[in-house]
Amino acid sequence: RLTFFQNWYDNGAPVNFWFSGFYFPPAFLTGALQNFARRNGHAIDTVDFDYEVRNTEPTEAPEHGCFIYGMFLEGARWNEKISELDTQHPKQLLASMPTVFCIAAKTEDIKAKWGEDVITSGDPFYKCRVYKTSARRGVLATTGHSTNFVFYLRIPTAKDQSFWIKRGLSLIHISEPTRLLSISYAVFCLKKKKKK
């Protein structure tokens, strides 16, 4: 995480942002929308994200929006051959999600492209919840945000949303091994500090 932010500080904003590296990811997404709104003279409540899952790594920063990576699918996997959600392989708990292009656009343009209900219902996509951890629960913080829920990501699928809902599909912002490693490292540092 420190290396990611140090590189950002030294070399400027990266092309692809490591989403799991953010402590408060909603702020990053809000910032990307605000940049788009200010640049184009739109009110912030008239813009939103459209999404595109990329099977290849981006080489240039987008004009509107941002690229993010570092999320994990729980209850499904991304099938690069058909570019949509697919059932997990046997004994697969988490599957890496490829880079997601969060395309900042006017809400009315997104609705014109995908249908009036795309923002609220998610159709024709799967409206996937993104959580910080696999616990899938949290409390309402003083900021008005959940301590665990991050945002909804619309992912292409040929199946009905009900199919994925019954499978309990969600995206995890940070994998459990990474979280446990972070906690272990923090405990190690505290013990080391106490010895001094």
Side-chain angles (χ1 to χ4, degrees):
R1 180 180 279 169
L2 291 174
T3 303
F4 169 69
F5 284 110
Q6 190 64 51
N7 285 337
W8 188 346
Y9 179 78
D10 293 338
N11 307 311
V15 171
N16 199 358
F17 291 89
W18 179 42
F19 200 56
S20 295
F22 295 117
Y23 177 76
F24 190 60
F28 171 76
L29 295 173
T30 302
L33 281 178
Q34 286 175 334
N35 286 341
F36 170 75
R38 287 190 187 121
R39 194 178 299 127
N40 296 281
H42 302 313
I44 189 66
D45 60 350
T46 63
V47 298
D48 209 326
F49 283 121
D50 199 3
Y51 302 101
E52 184 181 301
V53 182
R54 294 288 183 96
N55 291 325
T56 56
E57 282 294 309
T59 55
E60 291 182 1
E63 187 179 350
H64 303 301
C66 56
F67 293 110
I68 58 173
Y69 73 96
M71 295 182 289
F72 299 85
L73 283 161
E74 187 176 37
R77 66 184 171 92
W78 178 256
N79 190 329
E80 290 185 7
K81 292 178 182 175
I82 56 175
S83 290
E84 65 181 49
L85 288 171
D86 204 351
T87 52
Q88 297 159 282
H89 293 300
K91 299 181 182 178
Q92 183 181 32
L93 297 178
L94 296 173
S96 184
M97 184 71 175
T99 294
V100 175
F101 181 15
C102 301
I103 309 162
K106 290 196 76 176
T107 306
E108 61 186 35
D109 294 340
I110 298 170
K111 289 180 177 180
K113 184 178 180 182
W114 301 112
E116 272 302 311
D117 296 331
V118 69
I119 303 293
T120 52
S121 72
D123 290 328
F125 304 96
Y126 172 64
K127 190 176 178 181
C128 186
R129 289 173 174 260
V130 180
Y131 294 100
K132 287 184 182 179
T133 70
S134 61
R136 300 191 190 198
R137 58 184 164 76
V139 295
L140 200 62
T142 54
T143 58
H145 296 85
S146 168
T147 55
N148 197 15
F149 174 75
V150 182
F151 73 113
Y152 287 104
L153 175 62
R154 296 183 297 277
I155 309 174
T157 178
K159 296 178 171 66
D160 289 335
Q161 290 201 59
S162 59
F163 176 84
W164 299 115
I165 291 169
K166 288 174 185 173
R167 296 181 74 90
L169 171 58
S170 71
L171 271 164
I172 309 300
H173 161 265
I174 183 168
S175 71
E176 290 303 296
T178 307
R179 185 170 70 91
L180 292 173
L181 186 63
S182 300
I183 293 168
S184 299
Y185 182 70
V187 170
F188 169 77
C189 290
L190 286 172
K191 284 182 179 177
K192 194 174 180 182
K193 193 175 181 181
K194 283 180 181 177
K195 284 180 182 178
K196 290 180 180 179

